[in-house]
Structures are given as C-alpha cells and as structure tokens.
Amino acid sequence: MSLSLSSRVLLQVGLLMVAATGLMTALIYRDTVQDVRALKARNLQEVLAARAELDAHPFEFAQDNTLRLRDAWLERLRAKGEADPQAEFNAWFARDADGVTRIRPERDDHSRLPSMGLLAGVQHDALLRRQVMSAFELLREWGPLMTERYYSAYIALQGKGIIMYSPSVNWGRLVDKDTNDVDSPPVRDAAPSRNPKRVATWTDLYFDDKARTWMVSAVAPIDVDGQWVGLASQDVSIDALIARTVQQTTEGVYSLIFNDQGELIAHPHLMEKIKASNGELKLSALQDPVLTEIYRQVKQAGHAPVVRDTSDHTLVLGIARIAGPNWYTVTVYPRQVVDQLATNAARNVVLLGVLALLAELLLLAWIVQRQINRPLRHLQMATDAIEAGEDPRVLSKRRDDELGQLSESFNRMALAVRAQVKSLKEKESYLRLLIDTLAEGMVVRERNLKLLDFNDSALALYGVTREQATAVTASGDPARYGIRQFRPDGSEYGPNELPFQRMMETRQPVRGELIRILRSDGTSIWGSINVSPLYREGEDTPYAGMTVINDVTRYIMAEQELRAANDELERRVQLRTTELQHAKDEAEHASRAKTEFLSGMSHELRTPLNAILGFAQLLTLARPPLSDADLHKVRQIEAAGWHLLELINEVLDLASIEAGAVGTSMEALDLGLVIEETLEMVGPVAVERNVVLFNRSTPGQTHWVLADRKRLKQVLSNLLSNGVKYNRYQGSVTVTVEPGEPGQVVLVVSDTGRGLTPQQLERLFQPFTRFETEGEVIQGTGIGLVITRRLVELMGGQLTVESTPGQGSMFRVHLKAATPPGGVAEKLALADGNSLALPGVMAETRILYVEDNPSNVELFTGVMALQAGYRVEVATDGLQGLAMARANPPDLAVIDINLPGIDGIELCRRLKGDPATRHIPLIALSANAMPSDVAKAQRAGFDVYLTKPLNVVQLFSEIDRVLNLRE
C-alpha cells in the first residue's frame, strides 16, 4: 500500500527537522544557563539600589523642610519679642459663630494663602497672637515652594489650632467646634510621651479622609523653654509611590512595601485590606506563608540593597530600604522569570534550528511545487473562470493520484454549479422586484442588529436615504440614524425593548404592535409593526428577524382629532363648574399653608430658646449664688434671649402686620433707658466689627415717649444693627435725641458707613432689598427696615432717612411725647431685686415629665431641683408616658406636644379617658405657640398650657395652683 502525497511529504520533512533542531539546541543551551543567571542577579542589585535612592529623596527633602520650618518659626517668634500684634491679628482673623477662629471670609483664599483654624474655647492672648502671626507670615512666604512637590506644610499649636498651607483643601474651614487635635497622627507622634528625645520623626501610614489620600507626615516637635508648644510638619502623599509599587509590568513579578513593625504599606493584591485596616495591616495577621518568608528574609538582609532567594528557591527577592520612614521595598520575582534570560539564550539555539529548518523547507517547497502547487494552480484558474461566468475548463487527467481524481470531480461539478447559479440569479431578481414593489416597509436584521436587507418603503418610513443605510449596515439600530420610537402612551422604547429584540428573546412573532417613529428631521409617523423570526435548517434559535412596517398615520391622526374634539367639549363643560371650586380650594390651601408655616417656625425657633432662657434662669437662681460679675453676664444672656424671643414673635406677626391686625401696648417710656438697654445688647456685635457706639442723648435729661416698649427696642435694635453691619472699619454709630414738632420727640441714629445713593433710597423700604457690594457677605433678610417703618407707624410715629454716599446715613424716628407715670421709682426698686421668690411645697410631689428632647429634660429637672419636695420621673415618648402614668399615677404630669409614638394631644385624650388617670392634673409645655395650638390642647383636656421658652416663676405658680385646686 503506497503512502499518500501528504504523508510522504510530512514524513520526509519531520525526520530532517527533528534531527537538526535537537542537535543544535543541546550543544548551545548547556553552556549559557549558568552565565545568564549570575548576570541577572548583578543587574537586579544595581536597579534596586537606584530605585531605593529615588524613593528616599522625597522623604529626606520633606524631613529637612520640616526642620527648617520649625527653626525659622522659632526665630521669628523670638524676633517679635513681647509685642502684641492684635491689630494685625484682628485684620486677618475673626472668631466665627461656632467659636472657631478662622481667616476672615473676605480675605480667605487657601489657594494662595495659608488657612488657619483655632479651636473653639481657646483664649486669644498676646502670646497666641504672636505665635499665629509668626506661623502665618512664614507659611505665606515659604508655602508655595514647600508644596510644589508635597501635599501641605503646616505648624500646629498644641491644643490650640493649626496654620496650614495647602492649595488643594481649606483646612481652616474644616476645623469645627468638635475638632480634637489629639486625634491627629502628627500630634500624637510629637507628644513627649511618644517622642521623649524630641527629634524629627515620621508618622505611621494613615488615610486622610479630608484630603482623600494615603500619606505620612514628617514631624518636628517644637519646644520653648522646655515646654511643648506645637509641631512643624509636612504631609507627603504616597499615592504615587503606592501606584508605582502595585503596578505589575511583568507577568508574575510584583512589588510590596512594609515597615519595621511588619505592617504592609503597599501590595498589588491586598490594597483593599490595607485600606480597611487604615494602614495597620500586620503580616502576622494574614498568616500568609509567602509573606512571612519574605519578611524573615528582609530582617536578615540588613540595610544594603541585596538579592536573596527564599528558602525553597521558588522566589527571588530584590530587597532595598527607603530612608526616612525606614520602609522596605521588596520586588518578588518567580524563579522562572529570573531564568527568562537563559530561556532567551535558548532561543538562539532554536534560531539555529530554524536555519536548518529553512533549508529543509526549501527542499519541501521544491517538492510541493512539483507535486502539489502546479496542479492546484490549474484548479484555481478553472474555479476563477467559473466565477467569472466563463465556460468551464477541462482539467488534465494524466495523474492517477488524489489530485487527478479531484480534477475529474471538478469537471463534473463546474457544469452543475453554473446551472444552479443561473437559476438563483433569476429567483433573486424576481424577489428583489417583488420586495421593492411592496408599499409596506421591510427590514431584515441579524441578532446583533446588523442589516441584511431593506426595501425603499422602509427607507421612506424611517426618513433615511439608501446611501445612509448602506454606510452603516454594520449596525441596524435606528438610533444610529437619529430615530426615536415611542409607544402609544408616549413612553420611549428602551434599547432592548423594541419589538425586534422581544421577538429574538421570546422566539414568538409580534403582530400588529402600534408604534410612533420620530425621524431625524422632526417629523413622525405611526406604524403597525409585524416581526417574524428566521431560522436556519436544523436550528431552533432564530439567526435573524424580518420586520414589516405598515404606515397607519392617517388613521391614527383621524382618531386623535376625533378624541381631541370630544375632550375639548368635555373640558368646556367642566371648566365652568370647576372654576369657583378651584378658587375656593386655593384660598383655603393658602390659609392652611400660612398657618402651618407660622406654627412650624414658632416651634422650631422656640425649642432652642427654651434651653438658653431656661438654663439662664437656673444660673440666676443658683445656690450658692453667682458672683456679681457672673450674675451680670447671665442676666445679659437672659435679657438677650427674651429679646430674641420678642423678635421671633414679631417676625411671626409679619402676616398680621400686613393685614393691619397687630396691636400695640402703648405706655409712657423713658427713652434714655431704652437706648441704654439696646446699646448694651448691640455692643458685642459692634466690638466684633470694630465699630464704636456713642450715646449722645441729652445728659441729665429724661425724655418720655408714648410707645410700645418691645416694638421700640426692636426699631432701635434694627437701626443700630444696620449701622454696624454696613459701616466701615473703625467707624461709629451715634444715637441722639432731638426736639421735634410740638408734642414730639425725635430719636436719631446716624452712622459713618458707605451711605446710600438716591436710587437706593427709592428702594430702601421695599421687602427683601439689600445693598451688598461685590464679594461682600452680610447677614440679613432685607425685611428689617420694612418691619421697622411699619412698627413706627403702628406706634403713631414716622421714620425718615437722609444719606450721602461715602459719608453715612441718618435715620430719624418721630415719636409722640409723654408725661412720666406715677410711682416710677418704686417700680424700678422692685424690679432690681436680687432674688426670685418661689412658691414652697411641703410634702413630696411626684411629677411625670414626658419629653423626648434631652436638653429640655435636663433643664426641667434642674428647675424642679431649685425647690425641695419635688420628684421628677421622665418618659421619652408618648407611649412610655401613658404606661408609666397607668402603672403608678403621678400627682402631676407635664407633657410636651410633639412626641414620638403618640403626640401630647393624643396622650392627654387617653389619660382623661381612663378612669384610673383622669384625675391627674395635666400641664402642656410646648414650643407650639399659635392660638390654634393652644385651643386644640385645651379641647383635648389640658388644665394649663405653657409655651417655651420656660418661665420659671410662671411654671412654679401654675404647678402650685393646679395642685391646690386638686386638694
């Protein structure tokens, strides 16, 4: 049996290739492996040394910068001596409302200047101001250069605050009233307990959640006269070092970094665990034998760069130490990677083998050319002739091998193929004519939306030219042509919701689905869609689908016009009947919304005032009593709180003022006393803004006016506050009293501020009008002067204004003069008492207090502790209060209205409806102060309704009254 042609060729070539390649590879490979391994180890050691030096440079420079920053700050601080830079300090910094001192907003630009934050409660003395200004000036000069390569540079004053230059984050604004600098890693490492030698050091790795970066900090403690006062530090972001370390450029080779304590810094596969442990991931905790072996080898290697094998010789370790933080970087090479050069050398051996193979292939080519290529070329030429439509050529049959048999078979096939091709072309021409004649659009797509076929009607329906469709046949997605498709309800089809995709997924035809097609030119049509699957023989999954679109636009439009006519008729019929009800509903809704808004605002504003005024009253009644100075301060707080409550009530009365329904309590008032009280209240704001307040009312002369005391204080307070807010630096506001027309007294408030233009004066008393300059931020709503003028008019007076731009403004309040009332001296003497008489209670009385606000609970229990004989039990929600009252009925219950679970109204109803608890006196104590709230509570059954803020005397009086009524 003779071998086939292919077998003979493969046999001859295989024998030659095996012999030549095997001989040459064996001769060369043996002599190269050992030399390449030694050379690779030397090269790795040189690379490790260069990389360790490169990685250490940023840390060494940062530590040097930190020491220079510390020394320069100490030198500047000594140069300032004992001088107090208060003016310069106040020009740059101010204490904000949360108690934290920061750069003034108008000068705050952390991209060019240092940021600063002093903790709340820190006393501003001359030493602190010298320290802050020395640090601020130094970082202002050095900061841009020090942060070119680093994240930030700063000086932290121990327990006081921080001055930082960081262009990317305004750290001063991130300091809040709860900030604790002890939580910072640099502060902990600078403390004497952690750094007794007082040397520059490095923090452990930590993730800064504000900067959103991994970093370490170079820290230099600052001691003055043996006392720790702070630290100088520079933050070094190591995100780039970590990214460079974890990046794997060679398959199987990776790098990692860890510190002396065996904590991982960077690892390509463990970064998530490192982040989760906040940079404190111990190698021992992982229990990874490979990492444990690496750490053991590093501890034995010393500080010089070295290349070592693991104990099992499966890994080659490149170990180098990073100076500064004393970290170790290790590059791990699998042994086969290190030996890759030997493998590369072996490729030379293979190359020699290839050369031998080339000779063999030349021989093979000569054989194939004679035995195979020449007859196959004749076969190819005959095939090309059939494809071109030529008469089939007759191949030679001189050979009796496989190629000869193939030639004979080809001659028979060529004639049959030509007949079939002719028949197929005729059928294709017929089908194309039939498809293009159809009025319906037809599109055939594959599963991946590739267009297989389409007719002219489909192009017209979609608004696409044949050239456009031909250019994008790789994707038949209509969105490619700017086409959008919608359901009858107006919702747009998603990418995978079209009828074609549904058919391909379910394998079920889609019939008669109505769809609106929005074409790229903005026009649209309605189409009825039919989609059918196309299968190949023997397959149960469709390979394509045929979509037929029938234009039904004229039918849909006719239906829509008829429906629109019916809807318009119904709309006209209903419009007449609904207008009156709509107007009524709007009026009722507006009234309810206004009432709910005023009630909610009253509650939210009175709740914090309850704590302020309540605790102020507790301090006033403290035993032992406060010192005169402290008592004076507490009374100032209490007075300001009551005044703020009055202002809140006035704002809530704004709607009533607009409606003319606000009444006034007119009485004869000492205008000078009102001026003194208001100036004292506005004084702190003036001091903060460096504005001087002058009282130039006539000395030794009393001016009596007919006015409402709280309305008049509100008017004067608003005018003084505006004079301070819109004044210049070191300006002044002056209050004088002038005689007016007969029967009048004129109160004058003038300032040295910016003044007003005639155009601004025209809009001065329009609601919500403010005159801030560009970049200026002044608190206010723009309704103060509107309320002020209307309050003056309610008191029968008149408010006028004169102003000169650049010089200031003068407001005159014209009031009716009054005669002094009788018994003024006796009333003043009674009002100046130093103690507050509280009703006494002889036997112990149990009081149930139902309140969910801890501050209010603390206040109430503190108030009741002022008087012996009371025992307070607290429930924090309505259901708990109901259970406690039923289990052990108290002598009296004080209940908040807004409670979790059930509110105070419902709690009252249930207590009054239960025979076991209906006898308990109930007092409502709530921040809901609207008349409707009071009436609702009284209807529910409350005996007394008190509003917050708490009035201690009133509370004890009502408790005593209801307990006496019970007896």
Side-chain angles (χ1 to χ4, degrees):
M1 176 180 172
S2 60
L3 295 174
S4 65
L5 173 65
S6 58
S7 298
R8 290 197 303 271
V9 172
L10 290 175
L11 180 59
Q12 294 172 15
V13 174
L15 292 174
L16 292 173
M17 184 172 60
V18 170
T21 304
L23 180 60
M24 287 190 295
T25 301
L27 291 174
I28 298 176
Y29 184 81
R30 180 186 56 189
D31 299 328
T32 58
V33 172
Q34 296 299 326
D35 293 341
V36 172
R37 283 185 175 177
L39 179 62
K40 181 69 173 179
R42 288 194 299 272
N43 291 341
L44 285 179
Q45 192 164 344
E46 293 174 0
V47 170
L48 288 172
R51 177 178 173 180
E53 182 178 358
L54 178 64
D55 289 343
H57 282 170
F59 298 103
E60 293 172 346
F61 290 158
Q63 186 166 333
D64 184 63
N65 289 345
T66 302
L67 293 173
R68 292 176 182 270
L69 181 64
R70 178 193 67 183
D71 297 341
W73 181 77
L74 290 172
E75 183 178 347
R76 292 200 178 203
L77 183 62
R78 286 192 294 269
K80 288 187 179 292
E82 298 299 324
D84 185 356
Q86 181 175 5
E88 186 178 5
F89 182 90
N90 290 339
W92 278 100
F93 312 112
R95 192 187 298 272
D96 290 339
D98 61 357
V100 177
T101 302
R102 305 182 179 92
I103 295 180
R104 293 182 175 275
E106 65 271 14
R107 306 189 74 169
D108 193 0
D109 183 2
H110 72 277
S111 63
R112 298 185 303 106
L113 297 172
S115 60
M116 191 277 286
L118 294 181
L119 303 181
V122 172
Q123 182 66 33
H124 294 184
D125 53 19
L127 175 58
L128 176 63
R129 287 189 283 268
R130 287 196 298 271
Q131 292 174 341
V132 171
M133 291 310 301
S134 298
F136 185 79
E137 294 166 356
L138 180 61
L139 287 172
R140 188 178 179 186
E141 298 172 10
W142 290 22
L145 183 60
M146 295 183 71
T147 56
E148 282 187 355
R149 296 178 59 187
Y150 301 101
Y151 180 77
S152 64
Y154 60 92
I155 292 175
L157 301 177
Q158 194 270 328
K160 298 179 180 178
I162 188 170
I163 304 93
M164 175 178 287
Y165 192 96
S166 177
S168 58
V169 176
N170 191 335
W171 284 91
R173 293 293 166 190
L174 296 179
V175 176
D176 57 32
K177 63 183 181 63
D178 298 321
T179 297
N180 183 359
D181 64 347
V182 179
D183 291 337
S184 169
V187 174
R188 291 197 298 268
D189 288 345
S193 59
R194 291 281 293 269
N195 192 348
K197 295 183 179 181
R198 316 307 289 153
V199 296
T201 185
W202 285 89
T203 66
D204 292 334
L205 175 69
Y206 63 94
F207 183 78
D208 193 305
D209 57 350
K210 299 181 177 63
R212 307 304 302 169
T213 182
W214 286 98
M215 61 175 60
V216 292
S217 301
V219 181
I222 301 178
D223 296 341
V224 176
D225 297 331
Q227 295 294 323
W228 178 37
V229 299
L231 61 97
S233 181
Q234 184 145 33
D235 294 334
V236 180
S237 173
I238 65 167
D239 282 350
L241 175 60
I242 291 176
R244 187 168 64 248
T245 301
V246 302
Q247 182 179 9
Q248 293 180 268
T249 58
T250 303
E251 181 68 26
V253 179
Y254 63 94
S255 298
L256 63 151
I257 299 176
F258 52 82
N259 59 22
D260 278 335
Q261 291 76 35
E263 295 174 341
L264 271 177
I265 307 298
H267 190 288
H269 308 305
L270 298 174
M271 289 310 302
E272 292 299 326
K273 291 187 177 181
I274 294 174
K275 292 179 180 180
S277 65
N278 197 26
E280 298 179 357
L281 181 60
K282 292 282 190 180
L283 289 173
S284 58
L286 295 173
Q287 297 183 352
D288 187 320
V290 175
L291 292 177
T292 302
E293 172 64 13
I294 292 174
Y295 183 64
R296 187 181 68 83
Q297 293 291 341
V298 169
K299 299 302 286 184
Q300 295 177 358
H303 295 313
V306 66
V307 176
R308 297 174 64 95
D309 284 2
T310 57
S311 57
D312 58 2
H313 300 287
T314 58
L315 299 176
V316 178
L317 307 180
I319 304 170
R321 177 176 170 270
I322 302 177
N326 292 327
W327 294 346
Y328 293 94
T329 176
V330 181
T331 303
V332 182
Y333 301 87
R335 169 55 66 186
Q336 60 269 28
V337 174
V338 177
D339 291 342
Q340 187 65 40
L341 282 179
T343 305
N344 293 338
R347 290 177 183 170
N348 295 329
V349 177
V350 176
L351 179 60
L352 295 176
V354 170
L355 292 176
L357 288 176
L358 286 176
E360 299 167 6
L361 290 175
L362 290 174
L363 179 60
L364 177 63
W366 179 78
I367 297 173
V368 170
Q369 176 67 25
R370 287 182 58 86
Q371 298 294 328
I372 300 175
N373 282 356
R374 185 179 298 173
L376 289 180
R377 186 165 56 251
H378 292 162
L379 180 61
Q380 180 65 43
M381 293 171 61
T383 304
D384 293 341
I386 292 177
E387 183 179 2
E390 301 176 359
D391 291 335
R393 300 180 183 180
V394 178
L395 298 178
S396 173
K397 299 186 288 183
R398 292 176 298 175
R399 302 178 55 159
D400 58 357
D401 57 12
E402 291 91 338
L403 289 178
Q405 297 172 7
L406 179 61
S407 297
E408 185 177 355
S409 299
F410 177 80
N411 292 333
R412 295 193 301 268
M413 181 190 67
L415 295 175
V417 168
R418 184 169 185 182
Q420 292 178 0
V421 168
K422 181 179 179 181
S423 176
L424 289 175
K425 286 183 177 179
E426 292 174 351
K427 292 180 180 179
E428 182 181 359
S429 177
Y430 172 77
L431 290 175
R432 172 51 55 189
L433 180 62
L434 179 62
I435 291 172
D436 289 339
T437 307
L438 292 174
E440 292 82 2
M442 188 205 74
V443 178
V444 180
R445 297 186 185 93
E446 289 185 345
R447 178 178 292 274
N448 60 1
L449 299 183
K450 179 180 178 180
L451 284 174
L452 297 180
D453 198 3
F454 49 85
N455 65 357
D456 293 338
S457 297
L459 298 177
L461 290 174
Y462 281 110
V464 180
T465 66
R466 182 169 292 275
E467 291 74 14
Q468 291 174 322
T470 304
V472 293
T473 52
S475 174
D477 186 358
R480 291 286 299 273
Y481 316 116
I483 297 172
R484 301 171 64 187
Q485 303 181 70
F486 299 86
R487 300 181 180 87
D489 62 2
S491 60
E492 187 171 3
Y493 282 98
N496 298 315
E497 298 174 350
L498 289 169
F500 175 82
Q501 283 92 337
R502 294 206 315 272
M503 180 277 299
M504 296 299 292
E505 181 178 355
T506 64
R507 307 178 190 176
Q508 298 298 322
V510 177
R511 296 288 181 259
E513 183 164 336
L514 190 63
I515 185 172
R516 183 170 70 88
I517 301 173
L518 179 61
R519 297 181 285 205
S520 59
D521 61 358
T523 61
S524 63
I525 66 164
W526 286 91
S528 177
I529 303 295
N530 293 291
V531 187
S532 299
L534 300 178
Y535 295 91
R536 290 190 177 95
E537 186 176 357
E539 296 181 357
D540 58 358
T541 300
Y543 73 94
M546 176 184 294
T547 302
V548 177
I549 309 105
N550 186 19
D551 187 358
V552 295
T553 304
R554 61 182 182 274
Y555 305 114
I556 298 299
M557 297 303 296
E559 181 183 352
Q560 290 180 348
E561 290 176 0
L562 179 60
R563 185 181 296 110
N566 291 336
D567 293 343
E568 177 63 19
L569 180 60
E570 292 181 3
R571 186 189 67 81
R572 290 181 179 180
V573 172
Q574 293 178 359
L575 181 61
R576 295 293 183 182
T577 59
T578 58
E579 286 180 349
L580 182 60
Q581 182 63 37
H582 179 68
K584 178 183 177 183
D585 293 343
E586 285 187 347
E588 292 178 351
H589 177 73
S591 177
R592 287 194 302 270
K594 176 181 177 182
T595 302
E596 292 172 358
F597 169 75
L598 293 176
S599 177
M601 177 178 286
S602 172
H603 181 274
E604 295 302 324
L605 295 177
R606 287 171 177 269
T607 297
L609 273 179
N610 181 54
I612 296 172
L613 290 174
F615 284 112
Q617 293 177 81
L618 284 179
L619 291 173
T620 304
L621 301 173
R623 291 295 182 271
L626 300 175
S627 65
D628 292 342
D630 290 339
L631 185 61
H632 176 72
K633 296 174 183 177
V634 172
R635 285 180 173 171
Q636 290 299 318
I637 295 173
E638 184 178 0
W642 288 117
H643 183 63
L644 178 58
L645 177 61
E646 293 174 355
L647 294 181
I648 292 171
N649 292 333
E650 293 168 5
V651 172
L652 296 178
D653 289 343
L654 179 59
S656 300
I657 293 176
E658 294 288 347
V662 173
T664 56
S665 178
M666 306 295 287
E667 59 179 321
L669 300 176
D670 183 350
L671 185 58
L673 183 59
V674 174
I675 292 173
E676 291 177 358
E677 292 175 353
T678 309
L679 285 173
E680 188 173 8
M681 183 173 58
V682 180
V685 179
V687 171
E688 181 180 352
R689 294 180 175 268
N690 287 315
V691 175
V692 182
L693 301 178
F694 294 106
N695 183 0
R696 299 289 172 79
S697 57
T698 306
Q701 183 177 358
T702 303
H703 300 277
W704 290 87
V705 296
L706 184 63
D708 184 308
R709 172 178 288 275
K710 71 174 183 178
R711 303 300 185 190
L712 182 56
K713 287 182 67 176
Q714 182 178 353
V715 168
L716 181 55
S717 174
N718 194 18
L719 293 178
L720 289 173
S721 297
N722 285 347
V724 170
K725 288 192 293 185
Y726 294 95
N727 215 316
R728 58 179 173 82
Y729 181 71
Q730 293 184 344
S732 63
V733 179
T734 304
V735 181
T736 58
V737 179
E738 298 177 354
E741 297 180 0
Q744 283 190 344
V745 176
V746 180
L747 173 63
V748 183
V749 179
S750 59
D751 62 68
T752 60
R754 69 183 65 164
L756 299 169
T757 65
Q759 294 79 10
Q760 290 175 330
L761 285 174
E762 291 179 358
R763 300 188 297 114
L764 183 62
F765 294 105
Q766 295 179 5
F768 306 106
T769 299
R770 307 189 67 198
F771 303 115
E772 294 179 344
T773 60
E774 184 176 356
E776 186 177 38
V777 179
I778 299 178
Q779 295 181 348
T781 62
I783 64 171
L785 285 177
V786 179
I787 297 177
T788 298
R789 185 171 70 172
R790 294 182 183 177
L791 290 177
V792 171
E793 293 172 352
L794 283 175
M795 293 186 290
Q798 182 182 7
L799 177 64
T800 60
V801 59
E802 299 175 4
S803 184
T804 303
Q807 298 182 13
S809 302
M810 179 179 294
F811 290 84
R812 285 185 168 87
V813 182
H814 302 261
L815 299 170
K816 294 181 181 179
T819 57
V824 172
E826 292 78 3
K827 292 181 181 179
L828 292 176
L830 290 174
D832 196 30
N834 293 324
S835 63
L836 189 64
L838 300 176
V841 178
M842 298 302 294
E844 183 179 70
T845 301
R846 290 178 52 254
I847 298 178
L848 174 62
Y849 184 40
V850 187
E851 171 64 70
D852 63 323
N853 189 312
S855 177
N856 291 340
V857 171
E858 182 179 356
L859 171 61
F860 184 87
T861 55
V863 167
M864 300 312 298
L866 294 173
Q867 177 65 52
Y870 291 113
R871 179 159 60 92
V872 178
E873 300 174 358
V874 177
T876 57
D877 59 61
L879 293 174
Q880 183 184 9
L882 179 63
M884 292 175 63
R886 288 175 172 173
N888 190 9
D891 300 309
L892 173 69
V894 180
I895 302 172
D896 184 31
I897 298 300
N898 293 330
L899 293 171
I902 59 173
D903 61 14
I905 300 296
E906 179 61 23
L907 176 57
C908 175
R909 292 193 183 103
R910 296 190 184 185
L911 290 175
K912 291 299 184 182
D914 190 342
T917 58
R918 67 177 53 174
H919 65 281
I920 301 173
L922 302 180
I923 297 179
L925 180 57
S926 173
N928 297 337
M930 300 297 292
S932 59
D933 297 325
V934 178
K936 183 178 179 181
Q938 291 174 343
R939 288 194 301 269
F942 278 104
D943 300 283
V944 178
Y945 193 98
L946 301 179
T947 60
K948 300 173 183 176
L950 179 63
N951 186 312
V952 176
V953 175
Q954 183 184 14
L955 174 64
F956 278 111
S957 176
E958 292 296 340
I959 290 176
D960 186 57
R961 183 179 66 82
V962 297
L963 290 177
N964 289 336
L965 288 176
R966 181 187 178 189
E967 295 174 359

